[in-house]
Amino acid sequence: MRGVVFDRSRAEGSRVEVVDDLEIRDPGPGEVLVAVKAAGLCHSDLSVIDGTIPFPSPVVLGHEGAGVVEAVGAGVTHVTAGDHVALSTIASCGACGECNRGRPTMCRRAIGMPDQPFSRGGRPIHQFAANSAFAERTVVKGVQAVKIPQDIPLTSAALIGCGVVTGVGAALNRAKVGHGDSVVVIGTGGIGLNVLQGARIAGATRIVAVDANPEKDSVARRFGATHFFSSAEAEGVKELLPTGADHVFECVGRVELIRQAIDLLDRHGQAILLGVPPAAAEASFLVSSLFLDKSILGCRYGSARPQRDFALYAELYREGRLLLDELVTETYPVEDFAKAVGDAEAGRVARGVLMF
């Protein structure tokens, strides 16, 4: 079967390629085999390729997908063959203290334990983010396969599994944006746009989008921005929010923007970090600036409970309150992976979707 494989151990250097000779094992107890139909290209996939996110290789990339259940292992009862599912990256155990506190994103068995369900020429290949959606089929834990209504296009449903759950979830679950709050979103790529609509859904009054590309003004406003600026240091931001913002989301992953996010906070404000800088990157800020009850929050996967949140987002989409179709700016056959990467790196698409 086809899939996108990244290998940094090759003698001729790192390489990412679309192959057609992948093999995958059958689902075991508690697992689901999914025929992937659509998969979003996220910057986290690109970060594995460029080394920003260290990950063992060879690895089948992709982590934002949707498809149709082909088979289930023993003990799986919530989905069956033929069901449409969106794929979560959280392979939580369901039995530890964090899972029982309703924090599956903090499950230690769901972090840093890559499986190897794929092989190629007899060589085992790692699974990225417990998911590997850039393959015609993948095997995931039952908890990762979330049933969705069949009237939701799979190209749109795929985005629920990363960009939507991370951005909207950061606003609703982690920051807990409230009615009348002020919000600044730095970076309006796939994650930033979803933070914007999460803030809109939560009832924020002033929602400020910041992006160096002025062409993103109109799309940012479509997703919920009330104002747009090309720099967080622009005078317009300070004029609009003279005492600062209640919530500032950094969605780019640059340490200088993290500093700007903290500097933009009002008293009791919070900076939520969603962008992914290099693993060893360090950021600086004035410690004294935090003494007025300001906070810096990390956020993993929108602090989500996928089986609950995916269903919520699907219903908001069906009600017309959550935009999904509008996020998909281009679709590509998997053979055009290189073009999809080029468009994403150049900022020409909010989200490109690979089709199988």
Side-chain angles (χ1 to χ4, degrees):
M1 68 177 185
R2 292 173 300 167
V4 178
V5 176
F6 171 68
D7 191 351
R8 68 164 52 87
S9 61
R10 298 173 65 97
E12 62 269 31
S14 299
R15 182 175 179 181
V16 59
E17 59 183 331
V18 179
V19 303
D20 60 8
D21 57 351
L22 275 179
E23 297 180 351
I24 191 166
R25 61 173 174 78
D26 293 332
E31 295 181 332
V32 179
L33 175 67
V34 177
V36 178
K37 300 301 182 183
L41 176 58
C42 173
H43 275 277
S44 293
D45 301 304
L46 304 182
S47 293
V48 174
I49 296 172
D50 68 20
T52 300
I53 296 178
F55 203 88
S57 72
V59 57
V60 178
L61 296 174
H63 64 284
E64 183 181 73
V68 180
V69 174
E70 283 201 348
V72 300
V76 176
T77 59
H78 71 291
V79 293
T80 189
D83 284 345
H84 287 199
V85 293
L87 299 178
S88 162
T89 68
I90 304 301
S92 51
C93 71
C96 68
E98 297 294 352
C99 286
N100 280 302
R101 292 186 186 98
R103 299 196 296 240
T105 59
M106 295 295 104
C107 174
R108 284 173 169 77
R109 294 188 63 181
I111 302 174
M113 302 177 68
D115 195 5
Q116 293 179 313
F118 301 97
S119 62
R120 186 183 182 209
R123 182 187 185 189
I125 297 181
H126 290 94
Q127 187 173 40
F128 179 54
N131 190 308
S132 288
F134 291 171
E136 288 185 282
R137 291 173 182 82
T138 190
V139 169
V140 297
K141 281 190 174 183
V143 70
Q144 296 176 256
V146 184
K147 187 175 179 178
I148 57 172
Q150 295 201 7
D151 60 351
I152 299 180
L154 290 173
T155 49
S156 298
L159 306 189
I160 294 176
C162 180
V164 173
V165 73
T166 299
V168 177
L172 300 183
N173 299 330
R174 186 63 167 135
K176 294 181 168 59
V177 175
H179 282 279
D181 284 357
S182 57
V183 173
V184 176
V185 179
I186 302 175
T188 59
I191 300 299
L193 291 177
N194 281 295
V195 176
L196 290 172
Q197 64 174 337
R200 169 178 51 78
I201 291 168
T205 303
R206 292 181 176 177
I207 305 174
V208 180
V210 177
D211 198 290
N213 183 355
E215 294 182 359
K216 292 187 176 182
D217 186 335
S218 60
V219 69
R221 292 179 187 273
R222 187 173 188 180
F223 277 80
T226 59
H227 300 78
F228 183 94
F229 297 98
S230 59
S231 170
E233 296 180 325
E235 285 301 316
V237 180
K238 297 177 182 178
E239 291 177 4
L240 181 67
L241 302 171
T243 63
D246 296 312
H247 315 275
V248 182
F249 296 81
E250 200 282 335
C251 305
V252 180
R254 289 169 48 187
V255 293
E256 65 271 22
L257 297 180
I258 291 173
R259 170 61 184 267
Q260 289 179 20
I262 295 168
D263 290 344
L264 282 172
L265 294 176
D266 196 355
R267 299 182 180 194
H268 66 73
Q270 49 189 13
I272 302 90
L273 309 185
L274 299 177
V276 182
E282 297 182 357
S284 63
F285 56 90
L286 292 174
V287 176
S288 60
S289 71
L290 299 183
F291 292 153
L292 294 173
D293 287 357
K294 299 179 184 181
S295 305
I296 303 172
L297 305 180
C299 183
R300 173 174 167 79
Y301 205 63
S303 300
R305 286 179 277 176
Q307 290 287 339
R308 179 202 68 170
D309 290 352
F310 283 27
L312 169 63
Y313 300 151
E315 188 57 33
L316 289 172
Y317 166 79
R318 298 172 89 189
E319 294 175 358
R321 299 171 60 194
L322 181 77
L323 305 182
L324 291 180
D325 303 339
E326 295 82 354
L327 284 166
V328 183
T329 47
E330 188 70 58
T331 59
Y332 307 84
V334 67
E335 291 79 9
D336 287 347
F337 178 74
K339 183 178 187 304
V341 169
D343 288 348
E345 290 179 332
R348 289 189 287 268
V349 294
R351 213 45 149 210
V353 176
L354 299 181
M355 305 297 295
F356 291 90

